[in-house]
Amino acid sequence: MNWLFLFLAFLIGISNAVQSGVNTQLRESINNPILAAMTSFFVGLVVLSIAFACFNQNPIPALSDFRQVSWTRFMGGVLGAFYVITVIFIVRDIGPANMICLVVAGQMIATMTIDHYGLQGFAVHQITLPRIAGTVLLVAGVYLILKN
C-alpha cells in the first residue's frame, strides 16, 4: 500500500473536521448559511481552476462529450453541496466530534454495502466477519463519543 496515499487520506480527515468549523464561522460572519456554502464552493472553484491551469495534462472534452454523460454522474456536486450545507446547519448544535463520528459511521455502513456488491464500478470486497467486527467497533465508538 502506498504510504503517501494513506497519509493523504489521513489529511483529508483533518481537513474535513477543520472545514466544518471554518464554514460555520463563515456562516456566522455573513449571517447566511446558504450564501456561506456558495462562497465556500466558489473559493473551491477558484482553487481548482488554478490547479487545472497549472497541472492539467489531459485533453479537454468537447461539449458534446458532456452531453452524453448520464446525469447520475454529476451527483457528486449535489452530494458535496448537501454535505457542506448540512454541516453548516448542524455542527454548532451537535459539535464537530459528534458530527464527524456520525459521518464516519454512515460512511462505513454505505461503503461496506458498496464494497460488498461492487456498486459504482468498484471491485467486490465481500463483507466478512472481521469487517463486520470493525464496523461494529466503530459504531460502538461513535455511541461512546456521542454519549459525552
Side-chain angles (χ1 to χ4, degrees), residues 16-31:
N16 196 323
V18 173
Q19 177 193 30
S20 301
V22 169
N23 282 340
T24 300
Q25 290 172 338
L26 180 60
R27 171 195 179 176
E28 291 170 354
S29 294
I30 63 176
N31 200 28

Side-chain angles (χ1 to χ4, degrees), residues 62-82:
L63 186 57
S64 61
D65 293 332
F66 280 102
R67 289 186 188 135
Q68 294 176 12
V69 176
S70 168
W71 68 270
T72 59
R73 302 233 169 151
F74 295 103
M75 290 301 291
V78 174
L79 296 171
F82 172 74

Side-chain angles (χ1 to χ4, degrees), residues 104-116 119-120:
V104 170
Q107 286 173 334
M108 286 308 303
I109 292 167
T111 55
M112 292 280 284
T113 304
I114 290 167
D115 270 359
H116 183 74
L119 301 175
Q120 299 174 313

Side-chain angles (χ1 to χ4, degrees), residues 110-119 122-128 131:
T111 55
M112 292 280 284
T113 304
I114 290 167
D115 270 359
H116 183 74
Y117 293 105
L119 301 175
F122 288 104
V124 171
H125 297 279
Q126 295 293 324
I127 293 178
T128 61
R131 293 183 100 199

Side-chain angles (χ1 to χ4, degrees), residues 1-11:
M1 212 172 275
N2 187 326
W3 288 100
L4 175 62
F5 291 167
L6 296 175
F7 180 68
L8 289 173
F10 179 74
L11 289 180

Side-chain angles (χ1 to χ4, degrees), residues 23-70:
N23 282 340
T24 300
Q25 290 172 338
L26 180 60
R27 171 195 179 176
E28 291 170 354
S29 294
I30 63 176
N31 200 28
N32 189 317
I34 296 172
L35 186 58
M38 290 172 57
T39 303
S40 177
F41 273 90
F42 177 75
V43 171
L45 176 63
V46 169
V47 170
L48 289 172
S49 297
I50 293 168
F52 181 81
C54 293
F55 303 112
N56 182 55
Q57 297 177 350
N58 298 313
I60 299 173
L63 186 57
S64 61
D65 293 332
F66 280 102
R67 289 186 188 135
Q68 294 176 12
V69 176
S70 168

Side-chain angles (χ1 to χ4, degrees), residues 73-92:
R73 302 233 169 151
F74 295 103
M75 290 301 291
V78 174
L79 296 171
F82 172 74
Y83 176 83
V84 169
I85 193 69
T86 303
V87 166
I88 287 172
F89 275 108
I90 69 171
V91 73
R92 282 281 184 219

